[in-house]
Amino acid sequence: MRVNRILLSSALVVVALVIQVSALARLHLPGAVPDLMLLTVLGLAMVYGHVGGALVGFGAGLLADLAPPADHAAGRYALVLCVTGYFAGLIKPENGRLKSATGPMAVVVAAAVGSTLLYAGVGALVGDTAARHVGLTGLLFSAALYDLLLAPFVVPGIMWLARRSDNDPLADAGPATKAGDISSGWLSSGTGLRIGGQRGGLGALKAKARTRSTRVGRIKGVKRL
């Protein structure tokens, strides 16, 4: 990975971990806890691709495994986020632009459910049966719901920052004010998502067409009014 990617990923993961431990974990919501670490990994993976997503996921998960008050075996969450980051990175298109918000939203739901199942499965292998006592069905539903509600406030901004750090032209495709509108961030240009008819783009195409026709007319000696 590039140095700027490592620095940005490290900073975002540390911030996400601090918020996760100090705030989200103390909300005492029914079922699961909103997983800010997972959303951070997803946002970076959908920009960096499957290899970068796997590396970021492993590092983020290992940090969460070692940070207090972790009460599970070290490496358990690292495995979960590594696998999740890898598969999330597979949806990155070749041109780097996502056409709609449906894909990222589906990735968030699938990642929330899949990571919960994988975490519980690995826990069962090492003798941790906490998921059985809480209820796996309730955990799956609440994890998907909480992460889906939190995702529009987190994932678009992370994707925009990742593109900016890579000097990706997609990050500069829209005005800076759109990046601050988190609620509509799924459809902002900072994430590479496209909406609307793009009137400016059509106008530019029409202007180019007129210029070409004028040049052709001059070459043929046709007087254009």
Side-chain angles (χ1 to χ4, degrees):
M1 292 182 68
R2 303 173 185 174
V3 176
N4 54 345
R5 289 188 174 187
I6 295 175
L7 294 177
L8 178 64
S9 301
S10 301
L12 291 176
V13 166
V14 170
V15 172
L17 179 61
V18 171
I19 297 176
Q20 181 80 36
V21 174
S22 61
L24 297 180
R26 299 184 180 183
L27 293 178
H28 301 293
L29 297 173
V33 176
D35 198 340
L36 187 59
M37 293 286 285
L38 174 64
L39 297 179
T40 301
V41 172
L42 293 179
L44 294 172
M46 286 189 282
V47 176
Y48 295 160
H50 59 283
V51 176
L55 293 175
V56 172
F58 178 80
L62 186 60
L63 183 62
D65 286 333
L66 300 177
D71 56 353
H72 54 267
R76 181 176 172 185
Y77 199 45
L79 173 63
V80 172
L81 288 188
C82 180
V83 174
T84 303
Y86 177 84
F87 283 104
L90 292 177
I91 76 162
K92 178 186 177 182
E94 293 295 332
N95 60 356
R97 184 182 291 276
L98 300 172
K99 295 183 178 180
S100 71
T102 305
M105 292 175 67
V107 169
V108 170
V109 175
V113 174
S115 62
T116 303
L117 286 174
L118 183 58
Y119 187 83
V122 175
L125 293 177
V126 297
D128 184 0
T129 59
R132 297 180 182 178
H133 300 292
V134 177
L136 186 58
T137 303
L139 282 177
L140 294 176
F141 177 78
S142 58
L145 178 62
Y146 296 154
D147 290 347
L148 188 59
L149 292 176
L150 185 61
F153 300 94
V154 177
V155 178
I158 290 177
M159 293 178 69
W160 183 80
L161 287 174
R163 293 187 187 281
R164 292 285 293 185
S165 68
D166 276 357
N167 296 320
D168 193 327
L170 291 179
D172 299 324
T177 54
K178 287 187 179 180
D181 187 4
I182 304 298
S183 60
S184 61
W186 286 101
L187 305 180
S188 68
S189 58
T191 62
L193 305 181
R194 303 178 61 187
I195 59 172
Q198 296 185 354
R199 297 180 181 177
L202 292 177
L205 292 176
K206 291 180 181 179
K208 290 181 180 179
R210 294 195 194 99
T211 303
R212 290 179 181 176
S213 61
T214 302
R215 291 177 180 175
V216 172
R218 289 176 179 175
I219 293 174
K220 291 183 178 180
V222 178
K223 183 178 181 181
R224 300 182 63 85
L225 296 180

